[in-house]
Structure formats: structure tokens, C-alpha cells
Amino acid sequence: MAPAELRGVSAAPAAGAGEEARRGGALPSRALPATLALLGAVLALISVLYKGPAAKAPDAPAGDFSAGRARALLGELLGGGEPHPVGTQAHGRTRERVVAILRRLGYSPQVEEGFACNERNVCAAVQNVVALLPGRDTSRAVLLAAHYDSVGAGPGAADDLAGVAAVLEIARLLKLEPAPRHSIVLLLSDGEEPGLLGSRLFMAEHPLARRVGAAVNLEARGTQGPSLMFETGPGNAWLLPLLARVARPMTSSVFTTIYRRLPNDTDFTVFVRSGVRGFNFAFIGGAARYHTSADELRNLSPASLQHQGDNARATVTALAGADLGARRRGDAVFFDVLSLGLVWWPLGWSLPLACAGLLLVLVSAVQLARYRLLSPGSLGGGVLIWLAILAGCVLAPFLLALLLGAAGAFRAPWVAHPLAAQAAFWLAALAVVAAVAATLGRRASPPGLWAGAWIGWSLASIVLAALAPALCYLFVVPGLVAGATGAILASRRAWGRFHWATILPVLAAALVWFPLLGFVYDGIGVAVLPAVGVLLGLVLAGLAPLVAAASRLWRRLLAPAAGALALVLAGLAALGQPFSPRSPQRLTIDLFEDADGGASRWLVESPLPPPPAVRHAAAFEAGRVAGFPWSERADVFAAPADVAALPAPELTILGSTAAAGRKRVRIRLSSPRGAPFMVLYLPSSARVETVRVAGRLVPPRQDGAPPTSWIPYFVLGVPAAGVELEVVLGTTAPQTAYLADRSPGLPPAASALVAARGNRAVPFQNGDLTIVSRRVSI
């Protein structure tokens, strides 16, 4: 096609442009289907490469990390499969198993005991298990950590006994190797779940903590999927070449940015606050089972355990041989390419690289204009069409999310069968790009569409490089590829091959975007799918020149076909069951007894209304109610229960002094029925200044949370003799507070309710509890 046939392009090429210019104004009509096939191949390749390594059998060579051997250790650690939160007897038995295995492996483990409190007013007696592998230089050490406590709802096979089992298998391997340059400290920490208590104790008080120069932490936020390196800490530039050399990385600086915005922390947070850098690994697939009773051995992927162990072993060994004494600064942008290699650059390079991409695109545009393949009109049309695609890609996913939400497809954060909903948003983005480009794209030339899209993209990369440089590679890399290929082809007047300036940057965008768009569902759930649709529209907007140049059949059919398939898949997502035994509904049952009023109630906590069988098992009220006297909002479903007449918790005043408008009170809390968990709810009117639990100061909260009417103070693992608190109040007036004790499990009277829960609903977080409360005065 000659340039004269292109709308928006001057009628005749400049002298010397010749036959190449007459061939190059248009793109080959076959380029669109070929590019779509390539994008499909990229998706297929990602699905294969991001599975991680196959699990090795128990009889694998002795020098290899074996998921089979680690799984056997995990079964030993789990025992009878009981939950083992801090302060329970099962927790103590789990610790004893950890110590026994380390001794069997030839180590001399120590149990570090102490009391710790955090900013969320949680305190507990914790027991860390610590072992040392001496190095040739004992002045520095590398820390390998995982936590052995679980939440109350489940046995924590993945979170985090899988990490403990991996550490123990690595401990076996380390004994087979020559002594490392630096010592390696094995930390099986306690109290991570209620608030990083064990790692706080270790870093603050253990003598070995002062030697730690780097750390590797193992975690899980699900029960399957590849092991992702999702956090390194500030000043990470020196770590990335090491990671690239020793591991098959699946990582991105985007992970850290997203993770910091989630309401989650790990022990690695404490290490980073103490100035230690390193690697934090976790697998996040199967998030519906996270912190539930479904986090058990049969649901744990052996491949995830293998990948976690391979990553941890490689990085610990590399860090143990690195120069840990050098002072290093500087952050980096980083990402893997199909898990085959790691790309990184200093954070300060982001803005220059983004500007370089824009400059190259502008150079290409000038060359196209010089040879009269690009006019101001076609460039302006290209920019407007790119903006129209972006607007459509914002609107379409929003409307699709409304449709699916109204149809009940988003009833849970993670659904049993998410593939149909995920594919619907991907296809909706493709439909928008195809529709806008086919409808409006003929009003501009393919060079105009190319220049408009990549100028807009490169400007966006500059903005992102300035505001959020850790995220900018997602835009910088495709922009650089577009600018470089465009500039090379334009300078050589290779108009007949200029379609590669469209195909290659779109493929580059797919390589950096597609893995991330797949992982964000595992991390966040269905709430992120509209954003996935928007971001995918950004990636696919680069196809606009190919759509405009495609054959009439492709222009007419691609958008309707993609849109229709998106709607069909959305319908399947709406009709599908949100829950299954492997992806269950979260539903916790409490028995709450008010010792003052002499009344008992069943309280059901769940993001969704209870299933009909549960509602029929007791006389539940129609809607949510405030479950406790200290509750600030209606957040549970309630039904009357027979009074169990359980002994109420006790508060004993040991001493009280008042001066200068302040009151200092010493009290002892105890549970006559032997409940291991206690909570004291103080009114905000008491103006609490300080609280000490067992002599340990509770640090002030610093997360900016809004004030509440009642301030809880949690004590986990309360001994039979009780626990002593010292409270300083900013008033001398008597204060009425609430005291509650909590014990795991429910009485036999709950058997009908528990049975009604079935196999598609499970307890989560703290698990089923029996709670008794009373009013107290201080």
C-alpha cells in the first residue's frame, strides 16, 4: 500500500524515500494474528516456567534438598495435626519436636525464653529455638529463619511448619558441606502469628543477633505455588547480583511495593528494622486456605516446598560466603524474565531510562515525519485513539466487575474456580482495544497509532519513574524496546519491517506484565481483577496499529468475539460455586458467656452470611449484631445458647496509688478455668498512659489507627498463677473495664453447629473459641 492510501499521511513521500516508503506506510495484515499467537505462546510459557521445580523424592541424592525428606519432617512436626498457637500445650509439643530433630541432626539447639510485647498490645511468653553452625569467621553470621507457631484455626502445615521443615532439611545439608566463611544461625521463632514476638525477642536480647549481617526468611500465604522472593529491605542493590547467580528467581520490586500495602508482616520486618538485609521467600497460591483449618499436610504442594528449600539453601550458602562487613547503600529496581534470569538497575537510573525511551520514540517519530509517513494530524489522532483505548479499558472492567458482583461471583476474596472470571477480564481488555482500534484506527495511519501509543506510554513511564521508581520497569522496558526498534528501523528506512516496532514492544510488555498480573490474584483476590483488566488494556493498547492494518475479517470479528467470550466466561463465573473443600468459606464459631448477665450466645464470624445448615442449627438473628459488650460495630451473627455456667476470669488489685491526677494500678489477671488467653478491655476515657505486662512495657501504637472506645490488651499463654499488669491512667476516677478469657475449642453442646458447617466452611484465624467475660473495676 502506498503512503497516499493512508488517511492522515501526506500524499507523496519525500525524494529518496523510494519504494521502501511506499511499502512501509502500512503494516502486514497478518501481523495481528501472528502477534496474538505469540502472546498466547508467552502465556503458555509462563504457565510452564512459573510452576517451579518438581519435588524430589525422599531417596534423592543426599546432597540435594529433597521435598520428600522435608515433607517427612513436616509430618513429624505436625504430630496429630492440632493447631499450636502460642501458649497452648500443643505449641509446647511442637517446640519439643523441633528441638529433638535438631539434636538428631547433630546440632545443640538452645531455647531462648522471654516475654515480649508489640505495638498492637499483644504480649506473650515466647520460646525461640536457636542453633548455630559455626563458620570460619565467627564475627559475622547469616540468619535462616522460619516460625513454628500457628494460628488457632489450623495446624499451619504451610504457614509456617513447611518453612521449619525446609530449614531442618537445609540444616542436614549444611552438616555435609565444609564450614562456611560466616556462621549460620538457625532461628525457629515463636509468636510470629500474634505479632512477631519471637523475632523481636531474638533481635533485642540474643547474643547471636549482634553478629547477624544478612537473613533469609521463609513464609507462606497459601499452600501452593512457586516460591517468590518478595522482600529484600532498603539498600538491596548489593543483594541482587548474588540472587541472580545462585537461584532461579521469581521476583519483582513490584512485590515489595504491593506487600507493604497489605495488612501483613513477617519476622523479616523485624530483621529489616534492626538493619539486617536479605531475602524473604513465600508461596502464595491457594490463599483461601491461608490461616484456616485447611492449611494441612494434604493440601500442601510438594513442589512449593521444593522450590522454597532450593531458594533458601542457595541464598543462605551464597550469603554465608559473601563479604558481610562492607557498608553498602543503594536501592534497585528488579524483575525476573520468565524466571530464567534477573534484570536489575540502580533506582536512580529509572528516570534517565524512562527519558531515554521517550527520546528514542520521538526520534523515530521525527524520522517517520521526515519521510512523510507521519503527519501532525495522524500523530494527534494516534494519541487520541490511545487515550480512548485507556478510557474504554477503565470503563469495561468496572462494568464487568459490577455485573459479576451483582450476580454473586465475588462473594469471597478467593473463589473455588477463578479461571473463568480471570479470563473474562483479560478478554474484555482485548475486546476494548480491538473495538476502538478497528472503529477509529483507520482515521489515523499505523505510524500515527504507533507514535501516539508509545509517546503516551513513555510519558507515563517518566511519571512513574519520578513517583514510584520501583514500579517503573513495567513501563520503561517496553518503552525502551519500542523506541530502540523504531529508531533503528526508521534510521535504516526499513519501512517494510516497521511492524516489528509494534510487535517487539508488545511482547516485551507481555514478558514483564503477564507474570505479575497472574500473581496479583493470588496475593489480593477477586478485588484486583478490575485493575488487572485496566493494566492489561495498557499492555494491549500497543496492538492498535496492527488491528487497524489487519484484514477486514479480523477488524470486524476480533472485538465481538472477544467480548462475547468474555460475557460467556463471566456467566460461568457467576454460576460457579464460590466454595469447595479445597477453597472453603471462612466461618468461625464462638461460644460467648457473659458472666454478669448470665447469658450465653453462639457467635458466628464470617465475611458472608452462614450457610443455611448453620442457620437452621440454632435460632440466629436475621442480620449481623455487635457480639460483645466492647464491640464497636455489628460484625457477627448471633443465636442464644444454653448457659454453661463457666467460671469467670478474675482480676485482683495488688496495689493502687494516685498523684497529680494520675493513677498507677497493679493487678493480677487469672483464669480459674485455665484458659490460656486473656484480654483486658480498658475504656478510652481512662486515658491509658502506659501498660506493663509481666514487667514488659507495651510499646505505643504507631500505625495511626483511629481511637476506639475500648482498648484491648492481650496476654497469651497465661500461667495458672495468672499474670501481673501495671497500668498508669491519666485519671484518678474509678474505671469500669471488661475482662475476658478465651480457650480453644467449643463445648459438646456445639456439636450440631460444628457439623452444620460441613466441608465447605472452615474456622479461620483464631479458630473456634469459648469466651467468658465480666465487668471489673480498677
Side-chain angles (χ1 to χ4, degrees):
M1 182 182 294
E5 298 172 53
L6 298 175
R7 296 187 179 98
V9 182
S10 299
E19 183 61 28
E20 279 193 286
R22 285 192 290 275
R23 290 200 311 267
L27 304 179
S29 61
R30 65 183 181 276
L32 176 63
T35 304
L36 291 175
L38 287 172
L39 292 176
V42 170
L43 274 176
L45 196 59
I46 287 170
S47 69
V48 172
L49 294 177
Y50 282 89
K51 285 183 177 178
K56 293 184 180 180
D59 60 353
D64 292 352
F65 182 96
S66 161
R69 286 189 287 261
R71 190 176 174 86
L73 291 174
L74 176 55
E76 185 177 344
L77 292 169
L78 284 165
E82 318 138 282
H84 49 280
V86 172
T88 61
Q89 293 181 354
H91 172 258
R93 290 192 292 270
T94 303
R95 180 178 62 257
E96 291 168 1
R97 296 180 192 117
V98 173
V99 171
I101 293 171
L102 281 169
R103 287 177 177 157
R104 194 167 73 216
L105 293 172
Y107 290 83
S108 300
Q110 299 176 341
V111 176
E112 179 194 23
E113 298 187 30
F115 204 84
C117 299
N118 64 24
E119 294 87 350
R120 295 184 179 273
N121 303 343
V122 180
C123 299
V126 291
Q127 295 88 30
N128 295 320
V129 179
V130 183
L132 176 67
L133 182 79
R136 300 188 304 275
D137 176 4
T138 57
S139 65
R140 297 280 179 178
V142 175
L143 184 67
L144 175 59
H147 69 89
Y148 71 86
D149 64 306
S150 77
V151 294
D159 181 23
D160 187 31
L161 284 184
V164 174
V167 170
L168 294 173
E169 169 68 354
I170 293 169
R172 179 190 68 81
L173 294 168
L174 293 173
K175 285 287 188 178
L176 303 178
E177 300 171 352
R181 174 181 177 181
H182 300 295
S183 300
I184 297 176
V185 177
L186 308 178
L187 170 63
L188 293 317
S189 67
D190 191 9
E192 191 272 351
E193 296 294 0
L196 321 180
L197 299 175
S199 55
R200 289 169 182 267
L201 179 69
F202 176 82
M203 294 305 296
E205 299 185 6
H206 201 287
L208 287 175
R210 292 189 291 273
R211 302 190 206 171
V212 173
V216 174
N217 188 60
L218 301 183
E219 261 292 355
R221 198 172 179 269
T223 61
Q224 64 191 50
S227 170
L228 306 177
M229 199 289 288
F230 67 98
E231 188 180 15
T232 58
N236 58 18
W238 70 279
L239 292 163
L240 299 172
L242 182 148
L243 178 66
R245 287 195 303 270
V246 302
R248 180 180 162 187
M250 298 184 188
T251 187
S252 166
S253 48
V254 174
F255 292 161
T256 298
T257 303
I258 294 176
Y259 171 72
R260 287 172 181 168
R261 284 157 176 76
L262 295 176
N264 300 90
D265 282 313
T266 70
D267 283 335
F268 196 77
T269 304
V270 177
F271 307 151
V272 169
R273 289 174 184 167
S274 302
V276 176
R277 306 293 178 259
F279 303 109
N280 204 3
F281 293 99
F283 46 90
I284 62 174
R289 298 184 284 277
Y290 171 66
H291 279 188
T292 75
S293 61
D295 182 6
E296 51 190 351
L297 185 60
R298 65 188 177 93
N299 287 328
L300 174 67
S301 165
S304 300
L305 183 55
Q306 181 70 46
H307 198 199
Q308 190 90 313
D310 286 345
N311 280 337
R313 181 195 184 182
T315 50
V316 163
T317 302
L319 287 168
D323 181 5
L324 299 181
R327 295 179 61 86
R328 300 177 176 92
R329 296 181 176 87
D331 290 310
V333 177
F334 58 93
F335 58 96
D336 72 89
V337 180
L338 294 177
S339 78
L340 301 176
L342 188 69
V343 177
W344 67 276
W345 62 73
L347 203 67
W349 290 15
S350 295
L351 189 56
L353 287 173
C355 292
L358 176 61
L359 179 61
L360 287 170
V361 171
L362 291 176
V363 167
S364 304
V366 169
Q367 288 287 81
L368 291 169
R370 179 183 175 189
Y371 295 109
R372 303 180 68 183
L373 291 168
L374 179 66
S375 70
S378 63
L379 175 59
V383 171
L384 290 176
I385 289 169
W386 185 71
L387 293 174
I389 289 174
L390 298 191
C393 288
V394 170
L395 181 61
F398 174 75
L399 293 176
L400 185 58
L402 286 180
L403 176 66
L404 286 169
F410 288 174
R411 282 175 284 175
W414 292 273
V415 295
H417 308 288
L419 187 58
Q422 289 174 298
F425 281 95
W426 283 59
L427 286 165
L430 176 60
V432 169
V433 172
V436 175
T439 303
L440 304 177
R442 305 292 281 184
R443 299 179 181 276
S445 67
L449 291 171
W450 179 89
W454 291 107
I455 287 173
W457 182 280
S458 298
L459 288 171
S461 75
I462 290 174
V463 172
L464 202 60
L467 299 179
L471 309 180
C472 74
Y473 77 86
L474 295 166
F475 286 83
V476 168
V477 170
L480 282 170
V481 173
T485 53
I488 291 170
L489 293 170
S491 65
R492 295 179 180 177
R493 306 182 193 178
W495 315 120
R497 295 188 295 276
F498 200 78
H499 54 281
W500 288 108
T502 294
I503 295 172
L504 291 179
V506 170
L507 288 177
L511 289 174
V512 296
W513 280 90
F514 283 6
L516 179 65
L517 295 179
F519 284 132
V520 291
Y521 172 80
D522 290 334
I524 301 175
V526 295
V528 81
L529 290 183
V532 167
V534 174
L535 296 172
L536 189 65
L538 279 170
V539 173
L540 298 181
L543 294 174
L546 303 183
V547 175
S551 67
R552 181 176 299 180
L553 182 65
W554 276 93
R555 292 199 311 273
R556 287 184 174 180
L557 293 184
L558 181 57
L565 187 54
L567 290 175
V568 169
L569 291 171
L572 292 175
L575 293 173
Q577 291 293 324
F579 305 113
S580 72
R582 283 185 56 80
S583 185
Q585 178 179 355
R586 299 183 172 199
L587 190 151
T588 293
I589 302 169
D590 294 334
L591 173 65
F592 171 58
E593 187 155 291
D594 181 356
D596 298 309
S600 293
R601 295 199 296 177
W602 301 116
L603 303 179
V604 168
E605 182 183 357
S606 175
L608 297 173
V614 173
R615 284 189 169 276
H616 294 155
F620 281 93
E621 300 178 39
R624 297 181 189 269
V625 299
F628 305 100
W630 52 85
S631 294
E632 302 265 326
R633 57 192 178 90
D635 55 0
V636 297
F637 299 89
D642 293 335
V643 176
L646 297 170
E650 295 180 351
L651 181 149
T652 305
I653 303 290
L654 302 177
S656 178
T657 59
R662 299 162 67 242
K663 181 165 62 173
R664 185 184 303 270
V665 186
R666 288 176 49 243
I667 58 178
R668 174 175 284 115
L669 310 181
S670 60
S671 172
R673 66 188 186 93
F677 316 129
M678 300 194 73
V679 194
L680 177 64
Y681 295 89
L682 295 176
S684 57
S685 59
R687 302 201 295 276
V688 178
E689 295 184 1
T690 62
V691 174
R692 291 183 181 272
V693 181
R696 181 77 64 168
L697 179 67
V698 179
R701 191 156 188 166
Q702 298 175 342
D703 59 1
T708 58
S709 300
W710 296 95
I711 306 168
Y713 291 86
F714 302 87
V715 186
L716 312 180
V718 178
V723 62
E724 186 173 323
L725 281 72
E726 182 183 80
V727 181
V728 177
L729 307 178
T731 176
T732 59
Q735 300 293 317
T736 298
Y738 284 100
L739 178 63
D741 63 9
R742 309 191 300 180
S743 57
L746 297 168
S751 58
L753 265 178
V754 172
R757 188 160 47 191
N759 66 354
R760 291 174 180 260
V762 293
F764 68 101
Q765 206 62 35
N766 294 320
D768 298 339
L769 295 172
T770 297
I771 304 169
V772 183
S773 82
R774 60 177 295 187
R775 287 189 300 273
V776 293
S777 295
I778 59 172

